[in-house]
Amino acid sequence: MNMSDVISFDILISAMKTGNQSFGTDFLLVGLFQYGQINSLLFVVIATLFTVALTGNIMLIYLIRLDTRLHTPMYFLLSQLSIIDLMYISTTVPKMAVNFFSQSKTITFMGCEIQAYVFLALGGTEALLLGFMSYDRYVAICHPLHYLVLMSKNICCLMVACAWASSSVSAFIHTLHVFQLPFCRSRLINHFFCEVPALLSLVCQDTSHYEYTVLLSGLTILLLPFLAILASYARVLIVVFQMSLGKGQAKAVSSCSSHLIVASLFYATALFTYTRPHSLHSPSQDKAVAVFYTIITPLLNPIIYITGAVRRLKYDFRSLCSLRINNIKSCS
């Protein structure tokens, strides 16, 4: 018996002692942290990251709405990404906090189903939206004369609508199928939220055929956009390095590399979870990896793009001041 099994057994006994009458239908979440000084410190770190992520995304949305100079296709897509990140991180962390502070680790069957659906829908939408954002940068740099046509307001809205619709439908199908399976092994989910791979370990029938469906969805929603991002930025970098503008090269490389790092972190960790066979999953490993695409990515996105937005506003302000100074000198 390993340490994870001991912890799970202790939580199971503790939940049964609470006398929860709905134990037969509710699930039990092991959580990311257990009680103890070190885990309490880690929880404080997670809570801090959660607060920073919420604040950063709200600030970014406000900044984009406030300044008309940021009313561009890129920042429209970015505002949608921030809205998704706000909901995405709020789907898991608050429940994790409640479970950490309370003696009961339960989540109702309906609550678990809703959490799984919302998480899948938001995760899929973010994956597709990141791909569309890379396409925006590709068009802006490689086809600047056609940018306003290829990235018109209607096309941007269509991109966002397609991302939401396709991900919502996919999430609905997966959630509906998973929660119709017989959970007869245990009600103990060795995770900090209701995620499909963790739920499959509770099913007492063969799920190998369904795992192929999960693999296909993962390759479609995660791998294809990631490959599109890599192809887009490869083309962008080729065009940029053919230019003779030093500052322009540095700015473009910095913008693309920061976005590529965050996107790679999101896609790589999500692919690691959703494209592996169920037999290769480890609860402790899955929880550690899930932290990256549930908490770290929503934190890094606003940090990167707020910096870019502020830098752009400062550049526009300096250009305006320089123009006014030149006008004053010419008049005098």
Side-chain angles (χ1 to χ4, degrees), residues 84-156:
I84 293 171
D85 281 338
L86 278 174
M87 296 186 290
Y88 194 51
I89 196 171
S90 300
T91 304
T92 57
V93 176
K95 179 59 180 174
M96 179 174 61
V98 171
N99 286 351
F100 181 78
F101 287 112
S102 66
Q103 293 182 350
S104 175
K105 306 293 182 181
T106 60
I107 182 172
T108 64
F109 187 91
M110 180 62 70
C112 188
E113 191 171 11
I114 292 173
Q115 187 184 55
Y117 168 75
V118 173
F119 179 80
L120 286 175
L122 291 173
T125 304
E126 175 152 353
L128 296 175
L129 196 59
L130 286 171
F132 289 140
M133 290 176 66
S134 69
Y135 173 75
D136 169 80
R137 293 297 84 203
Y138 165 75
V139 174
I141 296 176
C142 299
H143 303 283
L145 298 179
H146 301 93
Y147 181 73
L148 294 179
V149 176
L150 296 176
M151 291 300 297
S152 64
K153 183 177 180 180
N154 290 336
I155 292 178
C156 290

Side-chain angles (χ1 to χ4, degrees), residues 8-263:
S8 300
F9 181 76
D10 289 342
I11 292 176
L12 182 61
I13 295 299
S14 176
M16 293 177 69
K17 286 181 178 179
T18 62
N20 188 355
Q21 300 300 320
S22 61
F23 179 71
T25 56
D26 292 352
F27 290 100
L28 287 167
L29 290 169
V30 171
L32 186 61
F33 311 114
Q34 306 304 319
Y35 298 109
Q37 217 171 20
I38 296 179
N39 288 309
S40 297
L41 178 62
L42 291 175
F43 175 77
V44 171
V45 173
I46 294 295
T48 303
L49 295 178
F50 173 72
T51 304
V52 173
L54 284 183
T55 305
N57 281 292
I58 292 173
M59 285 181 58
L60 186 56
I61 294 171
Y62 177 74
L63 188 64
I64 292 172
R65 290 180 60 88
L66 181 66
D67 199 299
T68 55
R69 288 169 293 181
L70 299 180
H71 293 178
T72 62
M74 173 186 171
Y75 285 97
F76 169 73
L77 296 177
L78 183 55
S79 66
Q80 298 300 308
L81 181 66
S82 292
I83 293 172
I84 293 171
D85 281 338
L86 278 174
M87 296 186 290
Y88 194 51
I89 196 171
S90 300
T91 304
T92 57
V93 176
K95 179 59 180 174
M96 179 174 61
V98 171
N99 286 351
F100 181 78
F101 287 112
S102 66
Q103 293 182 350
S104 175
K105 306 293 182 181
T106 60
I107 182 172
T108 64
F109 187 91
M110 180 62 70
C112 188
E113 191 171 11
I114 292 173
Q115 187 184 55
Y117 168 75
V118 173
F119 179 80
L120 286 175
L122 291 173
T125 304
E126 175 152 353
L128 296 175
L129 196 59
L130 286 171
F132 289 140
M133 290 176 66
S134 69
Y135 173 75
D136 169 80
R137 293 297 84 203
Y138 165 75
V139 174
I141 296 176
C142 299
H143 303 283
L145 298 179
H146 301 93
Y147 181 73
L148 294 179
V149 176
L150 296 176
M151 291 300 297
S152 64
K153 183 177 180 180
N154 290 336
I155 292 178
C156 290
C157 291
L158 183 62
M159 287 179 174
V160 174
C162 287
W164 276 105
S166 57
S167 298
S168 297
V169 171
S170 176
F172 179 78
I173 294 173
H174 282 288
T175 306
L176 188 64
H177 178 79
V178 168
F179 283 87
Q180 286 181 343
L181 296 173
F183 298 102
C184 53
R185 287 181 180 173
S186 170
R187 290 283 174 170
L188 187 66
I189 304 174
N190 200 344
H191 213 307
F192 60 91
F193 69 100
C194 294
E195 192 171 27
V196 168
L199 287 165
L200 291 180
S201 62
L202 309 183
V203 178
C204 56
Q205 72 178 36
D206 182 31
T207 59
S208 57
H209 292 293
Y210 173 66
E211 289 178 33
Y212 286 115
T213 306
V214 175
L215 174 63
L216 181 61
S217 296
L219 293 177
T220 304
I221 296 179
L222 295 172
L223 185 59
L224 290 183
F226 186 42
L227 293 177
I229 289 175
L230 294 178
S232 298
Y233 283 151
R235 179 58 183 163
V236 165
L237 292 178
I238 291 174
V239 172
V240 166
F241 282 114
Q242 288 176 347
M243 299 177 180
S244 57
L245 300 175
K247 289 186 178 180
Q249 284 183 350
K251 184 179 179 180
V253 170
S254 175
S255 176
C256 291
S257 60
S258 59
H259 180 230
L260 185 58
I261 290 172
V262 176

